[in-house]
Amino acid sequence: MKKFSITIAGGGSTFTPGIVLMLLDNLDKFPIGEIKFFDNDEDRQATIAGATEVILQEKAPDISFTATTDPKTAFSNTDFVMAHIRSGKYAMREKDEKIPLKHGCVGQETCGPGGIAYGMRSIGDVLELIDFMDEYSPDAWFLNYSNPAAIVAEATRKLRPNSNILNICDMPIGIEELMANAIGLNSRKEMEVRYYGLNHFGWWTDIRDKEGNDLLPQIREHVSKFGYVTKDESLQHSDASWNSTFAKAKDVQALDPETVPNTYLKYYFYPDYEVAKSNPDYTRANEVMDGREKFVFGECQKIIDEGTAKNSELHIDEHASYIVDLARAIAYNTKERMLLIVENNGAISNFEPTAMVEVPCLVGSQGPEPLTQGEIPRFQKGLMEQQVAVEKLVVEAFEEGSYQKLWQALTLSKIVPSAQVAKDLLEDLIEANKDYWPELK
C-alpha cells in the first residue's frame, strides 16, 4: 500500500499531539510515510515538534518527520494538508470573547461578533495555506477543520473555487458519540444520520442503526430530559463550561421537539441567559489557556526532557479519527458517509443554492457527493437564511475591505441587539484586530 505524506498546518496547536497519536493508531488503515508540521510561530511549534519526534522514534521510527516554517518544504510532495490553525492564537480568542461581553452580547469564538472577528482573521491565513498547497502540491487535498468553519468554508467556496478543499467540523461527531452512549451503543459509527443546517447551526432529523431501526425517538427523549449529558463520565468534558452546554441542549431542543439540535444553537436562542452567566473577566479562552494549553505544552516539554513518551499523559484524540476516515475516503474511494460543509446546490431544495450547508455526503476520490435533504421547515429556513447572510457579508467585507458590509453583518447577527451596538462593537473590534484584518473603508 502507498504510504502517504501528511502536512499538518498548525503544528504548534494544542490539538496536534492528539491528532498525531490518532494517526499512529490508524496506520493499518491509513499508512503514512512522512509527517510535516508547518506553523508561522517557530518557537511554539518547536515544543510540540520536539515531543512528536520522540513519540515517532518510539512508535513509528520509519515515518520521516520535519517541522518547518518554510512553505516550500512543508507543502511540496504532500498528499493531504490537515489544517487546524488559530489566527491570533488564544490571546485574540480572549478578545473575541470579552469585547462582545463588554457590549452585552454573547462572547463566543465562532458565534456572533466573536466569530465574525475570528473569521476576518482566519480567511486570509487559510487562503494562504491553500495557495501554498496549490503551488507546491496541486493534486493534494486540503482537509480544513480551522474555525470559524462556516465563514472559512464560504471564503474557500467564493475565493478558491477550483482548489481541492474539504471543510469539516468535529462538533457533530462529538455530539453523536454522546447520543450513542446515551442509548447504549458502543460508537456513533453504529448510527446512520440525516442532518441539515449550517456549521454550528443544525438539526438531526433521522437516526437509525445499521438494520434501519429508528433510534431518534429514544435519543429525543434523552435530550428532552438531560440534554447531551450522559452517565459515562469519561465522555463528559473536563471543563464545566462544556458540561453546561451539553445540559442546555434540553432547552434548545424544546424549540423543535421532533429533532435534536447542535449545541451551539443555544447562543442564538438564549443569548440573554448566556451573557448573564458569563464572567466577563474569565471566559472560555482563559479556561483553555489555564487548562489544555498548560497541560499539552507541559506534557510535551516533559517528553523532551525525559527523552521518552512512556510516562506521558498525552492521549489519542479518538474522535479525531474522522480525519482518517476523510483522508481514506479520498485515497481509497470508500464512499464513506460523513457530515461535511459543502455548497448547497439543491441538497436542501428550498434554500440558497450557494450557501455552505452541513449535510451528509458520500466521500470518494472525486470529493463529496451531498445527499439530498429535501425541503426544510420555515423556522429553520428563516434562521439559516439570516445566518448565511451574515457569513456571506463577512466574506464580502474581507474581499472588498468594506466597513459597511461588516457593520451590516454584525447588525444582521441574531446575537447583536441593534445597529448601534453593532457599530460600537465594530469600532472596538477594528482596534483590537488592527494587526490582523485588512484595512476597512
Side-chain angles (χ1 to χ4, degrees), residues 231-244:
K231 289 176 183 169
D232 185 345
E233 289 184 12
S234 71
L235 286 174
Q236 294 307 308
H237 206 284
S238 58
D239 294 333
S241 61
W242 265 112
N243 293 324
S244 157

Side-chain angles (χ1 to χ4, degrees), residues 303-426:
I303 291 170
I304 294 167
D305 294 344
E306 294 180 0
T308 178
K310 289 186 170 65
N311 306 315
S312 170
E313 290 181 45
L314 289 177
H315 57 274
I316 295 170
D317 190 349
E318 294 282 7
H319 85 255
S321 61
Y322 72 88
I323 299 165
V324 165
D325 295 336
L326 189 56
R328 286 187 80 251
I330 295 290
Y332 304 127
N333 199 37
T334 65
K335 301 296 182 181
E336 179 91 8
R337 183 172 172 147
M338 305 184 76
L339 288 181
L340 293 178
I341 306 161
V342 293
E343 189 166 6
N344 180 32
N345 224 356
I348 300 170
S349 57
N350 58 336
F351 196 60
E352 163 70 53
T354 66
M356 291 300 277
V357 296
E358 197 165 37
V359 292
C361 301
L362 299 181
V363 188
S365 55
Q366 300 304 301
E369 298 173 44
L371 298 176
T372 305
Q373 301 303 301
E375 287 199 1
I376 60 173
R378 189 178 307 281
F379 175 64
Q380 280 88 349
K381 182 172 182 275
L383 287 163
M384 286 166 58
E385 282 173 339
Q386 182 178 13
Q387 183 62 14
V388 94
V390 173
E391 293 160 8
K392 286 182 175 293
L393 281 166
V394 172
V395 174
E396 289 169 15
F398 175 88
E399 186 184 16
E400 299 164 23
S402 170
Y403 179 99
Q404 196 73 31
K405 286 194 170 175
L406 204 56
W407 182 20
Q408 289 174 351
L410 283 160
T411 301
L412 196 55
S413 174
K414 188 166 164 48
I415 284 170
V416 178
S418 75
Q420 187 58 55
V421 173
K423 192 173 180 63
D424 295 343
L425 258 169
L426 181 53

Side-chain angles (χ1 to χ4, degrees), residues 53-318:
E53 212 155 348
V54 174
I55 291 166
L56 287 173
Q57 205 52 51
E58 292 182 342
K59 290 181 178 281
D62 295 344
I63 294 178
S64 153
F65 177 64
T66 310
T68 183
T69 57
D70 173 53
K72 186 173 184 181
T73 305
F75 291 87
S76 294
N77 303 310
T78 198
D79 297 301
F80 293 97
V81 176
M82 299 177 175
H84 52 246
I85 63 166
R86 179 175 291 283
S87 302
K89 299 195 272 290
Y90 287 114
M92 290 307 296
R93 175 178 179 171
E94 187 176 8
K95 293 183 180 182
D96 293 341
E97 293 169 355
K98 290 183 177 177
I99 291 171
L101 283 170
K102 191 180 91 176
H103 293 271
C105 297
V106 167
Q108 210 281 328
E109 63 158 341
T110 64
C111 303
I116 289 169
Y118 186 14
M120 286 289 287
R121 290 196 307 276
S122 296
I123 293 169
D125 288 348
V126 171
L127 294 181
E128 182 180 55
L129 295 174
I130 293 165
D131 291 345
F132 290 150
M133 181 189 80
D134 285 347
E135 180 177 356
Y136 298 115
S137 293
D139 295 329
W141 279 85
F142 193 89
L143 312 184
N144 179 61
Y145 40 102
S146 302
N147 273 325
I151 290 169
V152 169
E154 170 60 16
T156 62
R157 178 200 72 80
K158 189 167 194 284
L159 304 176
R160 295 297 181 274
N162 300 316
S163 299
N164 295 331
I165 306 164
L166 292 174
N167 289 289
I168 190 165
C169 175
D170 66 348
M171 195 64 226
I173 290 155
I175 295 172
E176 285 174 15
E177 286 294 0
L178 294 170
M179 289 178 190
N181 181 266
I183 60 169
L185 301 181
N186 293 319
S187 164
R188 69 178 179 87
K189 292 195 172 182
E190 295 175 46
M191 307 188 309
E192 196 164 272
V193 308
R194 290 180 70 79
Y195 176 99
Y196 69 82
L198 312 171
N199 179 242
H200 287 181
F201 205 97
W203 295 262
W204 283 267
T205 58
D206 192 88
I207 303 171
R208 294 179 187 268
D209 65 17
K210 296 300 183 185
E211 284 73 51
N213 299 306
D214 189 358
L215 305 176
L216 187 60
Q218 259 181 291
I219 294 169
R220 276 197 313 238
E221 186 182 4
H222 178 90
V223 175
S224 72
K225 291 176 181 169
F226 310 107
Y228 293 116
V229 175
T230 75
K231 289 176 183 169
D232 185 345
E233 289 184 12
S234 71
L235 286 174
Q236 294 307 308
H237 206 284
S238 58
D239 294 333
S241 61
W242 265 112
N243 293 324
S244 157
T245 293
F246 294 148
K248 191 66 178 170
K250 175 178 79 165
D251 296 332
V252 175
Q253 192 223 11
L255 269 297
D256 183 4
E258 295 304 305
T259 63
V260 286
N262 192 302
T263 51
Y264 281 84
L265 286 163
K266 73 169 188 166
Y267 296 110
Y268 301 94
F269 294 172
Y270 300 100
D272 49 349
Y273 165 85
E274 290 301 322
V275 171
K277 77 177 186 64
S278 296
N279 179 348
D281 301 316
Y282 193 87
T283 60
R284 176 73 188 142
N286 300 112
E287 257 187 31
V288 173
M289 287 188 277
D290 291 343
R292 187 176 68 232
E293 176 97 348
K294 283 182 179 170
F295 170 75
V296 170
F297 277 89
E299 285 297 304
C300 286
Q301 193 58 53
K302 186 170 87 173
I303 291 170
I304 294 167
D305 294 344
E306 294 180 0
T308 178
K310 289 186 170 65
N311 306 315
S312 170
E313 290 181 45
L314 289 177
H315 57 274
I316 295 170
D317 190 349
E318 294 282 7

Side-chain angles (χ1 to χ4, degrees), residues 38-42 45 68-69 89 125:
F38 177 77
D39 206 298
N40 59 5
D41 186 333
E42 190 167 12
Q45 179 170 261
T68 183
T69 57
K89 299 195 272 290
D125 288 348

